Amino acid sequence: MKVNKVHHIAIICSNYQVSKSFYVDILGFKPIREVFRDERNSYKLDLMVNDVYQLELFSFPNPKKRPSYPEAAGLRHIAFEVDDIAETVSYLQSQSIEVEDIRRDEFTDKRFTFFADPDGLPIEIYEK
């Protein structure tokens, strides 16, 4: 078996409009297709990140909370590469997003930090 690449990341949100605004308006991901599925009472929004990675944003009525803190088993976080971490942190803070202090990866010497989406999903930004 050979895996080529990550095809997409699926995120279930508790408030579709708030999360849609976060990923589209604040993070700048490009909408490709938005559908409402009557049989599931659910939206599905396909998003592109620089025309490379695709995120799928889902809404479902009353989704269960997924523990993230303290560290829980399962998916830990998603990470996005940025050119300038200080500039990105400044932008996120200007959008009233709380961002952790910038740290340095002891192995790569690259800078990184974390913030959260509207449902508390940890998101890492990692310097190119």
Side-chain angles (χ1 to χ4, degrees):
M1 180 182 106
K2 177 185 171 220
V3 175
N4 293 326
K5 63 181 180 178
V6 173
H7 185 269
H8 68 270
I9 299 166
I11 299 170
I12 297 173
C13 58
S14 62
N15 183 316
Y16 180 71
Q17 294 303 328
V18 168
S19 290
K20 177 182 175 183
S21 177
F22 177 81
Y23 285 98
V24 173
D25 300 331
I26 294 175
L27 296 188
F29 298 164
K30 178 181 160 189
I32 302 168
R33 174 180 44 254
E34 180 178 42
V35 296
F36 182 77
R37 301 171 304 173
D38 288 321
E39 70 281 0
R40 293 185 178 187
N41 191 23
S42 168
Y43 279 98
K44 178 179 182 277
L45 175 62
D46 295 331
L47 299 167
M48 291 296 290
V49 181
N50 279 335
D51 298 325
V52 177
Y53 296 112
Q54 183 175 350
L55 289 177
E56 294 178 345
L57 187 61
F58 290 93
S59 70
F60 290 103
N62 305 310
K64 292 182 173 55
K65 293 252 183 218
R66 184 183 313 264
S68 288
Y69 301 101
E71 301 292 352
L75 182 65
R76 185 168 186 249
H77 63 264
I78 59 175
F80 299 106
E81 179 184 274
V82 298
D83 289 329
D84 184 328
I85 198 157
E87 180 182 294
T88 304
V89 166
S90 178
Y91 167 74
L92 291 169
Q93 290 171 333
S94 78
Q95 300 299 309
S96 301
I97 295 173
E98 189 173 318
V99 182
E100 294 181 8
D101 291 337
I102 295 173
R103 297 181 259 172
R104 190 169 293 277
D105 186 309
E106 62 186 287
F107 301 107
T108 66
D109 204 36
K110 299 289 186 175
R111 297 183 306 165
F112 69 98
T113 190
F114 288 87
F115 61 100
D117 85 346
D119 286 305
L121 173 67
I123 300 174
E124 178 182 5
I125 47 175
Y126 197 89
E127 190 170 59
K128 183 176 180 180

